[in-house]
Amino acid sequence: MATNIPSAVQVSGVQAAQTLLGRGYLPSSTASIAKFRVVVAASSSDDKLVTNPANSAALNGGKNFVGIATADRTVDATGQDATGIEIQVAGVARCSLKTNTACVKGDEAGYDPADDGLIQPITASNRGKLVPIGRFDQSKASSSD
């Protein structure tokens, strides 16, 4: 009697279709998204339109997290970025840590919509103000960049 063992973990259609990078996201006309920063949904009707969390047009004050901008430069809605940008939507991403902030591997990470896409550790004093996005994969000392 043969045993049928699946060669991969079976997941729902949505999870199986998710990749590390989402392509074709468009910066909103008012966005100027710096590299390695959080991006959020800019529209309730267009799921590919993204902006900075601090942008006043961001849904729920910047709480609808989409992913991390992976470009090696600041992107905007004009020029070469008018046809779309890549956003990391899953996995381990390189992010910009808030200035003069340290982080410890394993600590919960989040962003304040007022900080323009910079991340920081979630602590007892800022829990509820920050939007959680994951955990830190490495420790970093406080620095100026």
Side-chain angles (χ1 to χ4, degrees), residues 101-104 107-111 120-132 136:
T101 303
C103 65
V104 176
D107 282 356
E108 194 173 13
Y111 70 95
Q120 59 185 299
I122 295 177
T123 64
S125 62
N126 65 17
R127 186 171 299 283
K129 180 181 179 185
L130 300 185
V131 180
F136 288 100

Side-chain angles (χ1 to χ4, degrees), residues 72-135:
D72 59 356
R73 61 187 161 62
T74 297
V75 299
D76 58 37
T78 60
Q80 63 186 351
D81 303 318
T83 58
I85 61 173
E86 280 188 351
I87 304 295
Q88 184 155 349
V89 295
V92 177
R94 181 176 180 184
C95 301
S96 292
L97 187 63
K98 184 176 178 179
T99 303
N100 298 321
T101 303
C103 65
V104 176
K105 181 178 180 175
D107 282 356
E108 194 173 13
Y111 70 95
D112 180 341
D115 284 339
D116 199 30
L118 296 169
I119 65 164
Q120 59 185 299
I122 295 177
T123 64
S125 62
N126 65 17
R127 186 171 299 283
K129 180 181 179 185
L130 300 185
V131 180
I133 62 168
R135 297 206 172 270

Side-chain angles (χ1 to χ4, degrees), residues 31-105:
S32 178
I33 302 165
K35 65 182 179 179
F36 312 130
R37 300 268 180 112
V38 168
V39 293
V40 297
S43 168
S44 60
S45 59
D46 183 350
D47 62 355
K48 291 293 188 178
L49 193 64
V50 295
T51 190
N52 309 70
N55 187 304
S56 61
L59 299 177
N60 295 330
K63 296 180 182 173
N64 291 338
F65 175 73
V66 173
I68 306 296
T70 61
D72 59 356
R73 61 187 161 62
T74 297
V75 299
D76 58 37
T78 60
Q80 63 186 351
D81 303 318
T83 58
I85 61 173
E86 280 188 351
I87 304 295
Q88 184 155 349
V89 295
V92 177
R94 181 176 180 184
C95 301
S96 292
L97 187 63
K98 184 176 178 179
T99 303
N100 298 321
T101 303
C103 65
V104 176
K105 181 178 180 175

